[in-house]
Amino acid sequence: MASPATHVPAASRPRATSVPATLREHSYLVGYVYSSKMMAHSCVHGHCEQPERISRIFDILKENHCLEKMKKLPIRRVLREEALLVHSQALWDKVLALHSLTEQDIADSEAYYNDLSLYVHPSTPYAAQLSAGGVIEAALSVARGEVKKSFAIVRPPGHHAEPDEHMGFCFFNNVSIAAKVVQLRTAVKRILILDWDVHHGNGTQRAFYDDPSVLYISLHRYEGGNFYPNGPFGSMTSCGEGPGLGYSVNIPWPEKGMGDADYILAFQKIVMPIALEFSPDLVIISAGFDAAEGDDLGECHVSPAGYAHMTHMLSSLAGGKLVVALEGGYCLDAIAASALAVTRIILGKMPPQLPPLTASEAATETIWQVAMEQSKYWKNVDPKASEPIEEVEPIAISLPELLKAHRQDYLFREHGMLEVPLMSQALIERFSAQVACTSDIMENDSLVVFAHEFGNLAVELDSVVTCNVRQEHSYLIDCSKSLLAWANAEGYAVLDVNVFPKPYAKSKVRPFALTYSNTDDDAPVQLKHTEDYGGAVMVYLWDNYIQLTAARQLILVGHGPGCAAIMSLIQQRAASVMKTVQGVVQVVGLHNIPATPRDAPALRQWYFENSIVVVPTTHPIFHDSKALKKHGSIFRMDEEKPIKLIIKAMPGIQSFIKEKFSAAAGTDANTR
């Protein structure tokens, strides 16, 4: 009779190499955050941002056996000191005060909160604190290496919440707070926030607008600023400021209906090239699923497979350290299916095969325009620059150089204008032969300074294959001609500044030194933005020429990109500008944001009282009440193209200049 087999505990049995190791809690690679307590935030009348948004995601992940492969991470309320890394004390107090609302209070305040696209409930503060705290814990667990990836299934969402205001279903900016906490408490410093919610994450972009340690990229429905949250902040030219210039990247869809092909093309051409160059330590997805097929609010057509492919691409960054934080998404079926597809990717599955895809014409054009804008800041983004091949480079002349020679000759022959010499080598390399003045500039008491770029070059192509230009059918539209002729006829001196900087071939990019000494032997002047070429030349001209003239009546006119150069001058020479300049004119196109002075209240008030802005009737500024209040007189014109806009607005501009000069002349007479 055989002796009974000795029982060997399972833990001590040798494991065959063909049998995978059993996952233990400490070996989970993916975590998740969830609490049904966040469902207490609800609207008595019903609302698309409903509690079931998170329970449906939780349930579908459980039904598909995803949660059993994920570590449940602790959830807690955000701490006051954490929230204040992004938000003001006033907003913190305002949100927490909601817990004391009665039913009558809620009814009485409904109109106020509707204006902010919010609803409130006594449980709102607790849910909002849990939502923010949950994203913090999800991000910290990845940053500290406890898990490789995590999914924060939270509500209310957060990306619309600005430092001083709750709005758009959002109370605290969950992702922004989490990013700040991670930077503060861990070794992770460079963070990419990818926001694919169908709405622009205005609050998140605002939180990091001047911060180069956080790269914010948003793909959103924009429609010229007419889609929520409205206004120009989500435009492709809204790229950051100060040290954060270039670290805000907006891909603004001009219409509804965008689908997988459009989003994936944007990832291939914009998102991934910039992300690879930035090389983040951590990636956070602001994962709104309201661009999903079936969402009536977003009206787009991204499939679960599309979200899977985007997640897969982002998983290749930061050594795989990825946090998915729920934002919007209001069709319960769509949000559940999309969240499941994303979760399967972070659990290690491959994305499903997509059918043959072709991006829409609107998306392709938008992506190209974004590439043109972002190529100023990122070497990996190159919208097919046309550069002379090496063998003909010694005999090649760029079109800007030809146009400069033509303009210099035209200004001299027609108006007797002379080139203004530039003494700084850095400015000579960028702006030689691009600044001209009338011969009476030093003694004339009325001076118009006009900053602009080249006119519109309209060309007819001989062939779409070779892109050769049919020269006899191509021409230059120069809007400055009418202004110069009028100024000369009125007897005004003119300083004409073409702020188009001479480009270097991308293979020969050199840093631009924006430091120079002024004529009074002061300390070198260091301009704020290393890419502010137009501002550099305007400040130089102000210090070395304009201030030395006899002009007692002075108007600054900016057209297109010249507006930014004019505003840079005003910002950096505020005291002397307010003392000398009688008026400012900005003529901007549909996709450009008219700038305003920052920081100094006196300068902002002076600008408000002495400026006009000319914009198209459909400009998104008319949907931004805050921006409107910063400008003095705003003229709407039924014209969207900047080149035609200034021509159509010329009578009004001329009247403004004459009115300002007449008022200044009267003041001088009274003084004498």
Side-chain angles (χ1 to χ4, degrees):
M1 186 175 182
S3 59
T6 304
H7 175 72
V8 180
S12 62
R13 293 175 190 166
R15 178 176 59 83
T17 57
S18 60
V19 178
T22 302
L23 284 175
R24 299 177 179 84
E25 184 178 359
H26 68 272
S27 62
Y28 284 123
L29 295 178
V30 181
Y32 75 94
V33 167
Y34 176 79
S35 172
S36 60
K37 294 178 181 178
M38 289 179 285
M39 297 177 68
H41 168 63
S42 60
C43 181
V44 293
H45 306 302
H47 197 277
C48 60
E49 204 290 280
Q50 56 190 302
E52 290 75 22
R53 294 175 61 245
I54 57 172
S55 62
R56 282 289 295 273
I57 292 175
F58 181 85
D59 290 343
I60 199 171
L61 297 187
K62 186 176 181 180
E63 292 163 6
N64 286 270
H65 308 290
C66 293
L67 295 183
E68 62 194 46
K69 303 169 188 174
M70 303 167 73
K71 177 181 180 180
K72 185 171 184 179
L73 302 171
I75 189 169
R76 61 172 176 84
R77 289 186 289 175
V78 64
L79 302 175
R80 171 183 169 276
E81 55 267 29
E82 293 171 332
L84 294 188
L85 292 172
V86 172
H87 297 293
S88 65
Q89 179 69 49
L91 179 63
W92 173 263
D93 294 339
K94 187 158 49 174
V95 174
L96 262 60
L98 298 175
H99 81 278
S100 61
L101 290 178
T102 65
E103 290 185 11
Q104 188 60 48
D105 292 333
I106 294 174
D108 293 342
S109 61
E110 186 173 357
Y112 167 76
Y113 286 108
N114 279 342
D115 287 343
L116 293 170
S117 296
L118 293 171
Y119 70 81
V120 295
H121 184 276
S123 297
T124 297
Y126 186 71
Q129 287 175 289
L130 274 183
S131 185
V135 178
I136 291 172
E137 288 301 314
L140 284 175
S141 67
V142 175
R144 291 170 173 165
E146 297 167 12
V147 292
K148 198 74 172 178
K149 297 176 174 63
S150 64
F151 188 0
I153 310 167
V154 297
R155 65 173 292 271
H159 72 151
H160 291 310
E162 299 216 348
D164 301 308
E165 188 62 277
H166 47 6
M167 59 184 291
F169 310 163
C170 305
F171 294 88
F172 296 126
N173 198 307
N174 305 330
V175 163
S176 296
I177 297 170
K180 293 276 192 180
V181 171
V182 163
Q183 290 180 321
L184 190 65
R185 297 185 185 170
T186 74
V188 168
K189 302 303 176 190
R190 295 170 64 80
I191 298 175
L192 163 63
I193 298 175
L194 188 285
D195 190 338
W196 67 39
D197 190 286
V198 79
H199 302 93
H200 176 239
N202 54 293
T204 309
Q205 180 170 319
R206 190 88 63 188
F208 301 105
Y209 205 51
D210 60 354
D211 186 347
S213 70
V214 175
L215 170 62
Y216 176 73
I217 304 179
S218 176
L219 305 94
H220 53 271
R221 185 174 161 189
Y222 182 62
E223 297 184 8
N226 294 308
F227 192 71
Y228 192 87
N230 305 109
F233 197 49
S235 73
M236 65 182 69
T237 59
S238 184
C239 300
E241 65 182 10
L245 187 62
Y247 292 89
S248 290
V249 180
N250 286 317
I251 304 172
W253 301 131
E255 60 191 34
K256 64 183 180 181
M258 298 298 166
D260 292 345
D262 308 313
Y263 275 78
I264 289 173
L265 182 64
F267 262 66
Q268 292 172 336
K269 298 295 185 181
I270 305 294
V271 175
M272 294 307 294
I274 292 177
L276 287 166
E277 186 173 341
F278 179 69
S279 186
D281 303 322
L282 174 69
V283 177
I284 303 176
I285 304 176
S286 271
F289 295 111
D290 40 7
E293 178 75 57
D295 192 296
D296 293 336
L297 202 62
E299 298 181 287
C300 288
H301 306 295
V302 180
S303 70
Y307 284 118
H309 277 266
M310 290 189 286
T311 305
H312 189 256
M313 284 187 269
L314 293 171
S315 297
S316 67
L317 302 167
K321 293 190 288 292
L322 176 68
V323 179
V324 181
L326 183 64
E327 294 285 0
Y330 308 103
C331 171
L332 296 181
D333 291 338
I335 194 175
S338 301
L340 175 61
V342 168
T343 303
R344 283 173 168 162
I345 298 302
I346 65 176
L347 282 171
K349 291 185 178 294
M350 294 297 292
Q353 182 175 348
L354 289 166
L357 299 175
T358 302
S360 66
E361 183 178 336
T364 304
E365 177 67 17
T366 298
I367 291 165
W368 182 81
Q369 290 176 348
V370 172
M372 289 291 291
E373 185 68 32
Q374 292 300 324
S375 65
K376 301 173 185 176
Y377 314 110
W378 302 98
K379 295 177 182 177
N380 278 0
V381 180
D382 185 358
K384 295 184 178 179
S386 176
E387 297 177 7
I389 54 178
E390 291 184 3
E391 55 264 34
V392 300
E393 187 171 1
I395 58 173
I397 303 175
S398 69
L399 279 179
E401 291 300 306
L402 287 174
L403 293 175
K404 276 180 14 180
H406 155 74
R407 184 171 177 78
Q408 191 177 22
D409 176 67
Y410 166 78
L411 292 177
F412 177 73
R413 284 188 295 102
E414 295 295 323
H415 304 294
M417 297 179 70
L418 307 171
E419 179 184 352
V420 174
L422 304 173
M423 306 310 293
S424 163
Q425 186 59 37
L427 293 176
I428 292 172
E429 290 179 355
R430 288 284 182 174
F431 297 104
S432 62
Q434 290 182 212
V435 183
C437 66
T438 51
S439 58
D440 61 344
I441 188 171
M442 299 308 294
E443 60 268 11
N444 197 319
D445 64 355
S446 300
L447 173 62
V448 176
V449 178
F450 184 34
H452 57 91
E453 281 197 340
F454 287 113
N456 280 19
L457 189 64
V459 300
E460 181 177 303
L461 298 181
D462 186 48
S463 165
V464 295
V465 178
T466 63
C467 290
N468 291 330
V469 175
R470 185 171 293 170
Q471 298 175 10
E472 66 274 18
H473 293 159
S474 303
Y475 51 90
L476 175 70
I477 304 172
D478 187 354
C479 66
S480 67
K481 287 186 175 182
S482 57
L483 181 63
L484 294 176
W486 173 80
N488 280 340
E490 293 291 331
Y492 305 147
V494 176
L495 178 64
D496 183 271
V497 187
N498 177 0
V499 297
F500 180 83
K502 177 183 177 182
Y504 289 109
K506 292 205 172 193
S507 59
K508 300 180 180 180
V509 171
R510 288 182 280 174
F512 183 63
L514 292 180
T515 303
Y516 62 86
S517 296
N518 65 22
T519 53
D520 296 325
D521 297 324
D522 289 342
V525 178
Q526 180 67 51
L527 300 184
K528 291 185 178 181
H529 305 320
T530 56
E531 295 277 341
D532 186 14
Y533 307 127
V537 73
M538 291 304 302
V539 170
Y540 176 87
L541 293 170
W542 181 267
D543 290 345
N544 294 279
Y545 290 97
I546 299 173
Q547 293 246 74
L548 304 180
T549 69
R552 302 175 66 86
Q553 303 168 169
L554 201 156
I555 295 287
L556 304 177
V557 181
H559 177 239
C563 295
I566 291 290
M567 198 52 59
S568 181
L569 166 64
I570 293 172
Q571 190 73 43
Q572 296 177 70
R573 293 294 182 268
S576 53
V577 164
M578 287 191 289
K579 182 179 178 181
T580 310
V581 175
Q582 274 69 51
V584 180
V585 178
Q586 291 194 76
V587 184
V588 298
L590 184 62
H591 300 294
N592 295 99
I593 306 165
T596 56
R598 302 184 308 274
D599 306 325
L603 180 60
R604 291 200 300 268
Q605 184 62 33
W606 173 87
Y607 170 80
F608 182 85
E609 295 172 353
N610 297 282
S611 67
I612 62 170
V613 178
V614 181
V615 294
T617 302
T618 54
H619 197 281
I621 192 174
F622 296 112
H623 300 281
D624 187 342
S625 58
K626 292 182 180 178
L628 278 173
K629 293 176 182 177
K630 296 178 181 178
H631 296 280
S633 299
I634 299 182
F635 292 93
R636 304 180 184 216
M637 307 298 293
D638 292 326
E639 178 57 61
E640 293 187 355
K641 294 182 179 180
I643 200 73
K644 293 183 179 179
L645 188 67
I646 191 170
I647 295 172
K648 199 166 186 177
M650 193 59 69
I653 294 172
Q654 293 169 355
S655 296
F656 173 78
I657 294 173
K658 293 185 75 170
E659 178 184 326
K660 285 292 183 180
F661 279 174
S662 296
T667 301
D668 288 344
N670 292 334
T671 302
R672 288 194 292 269

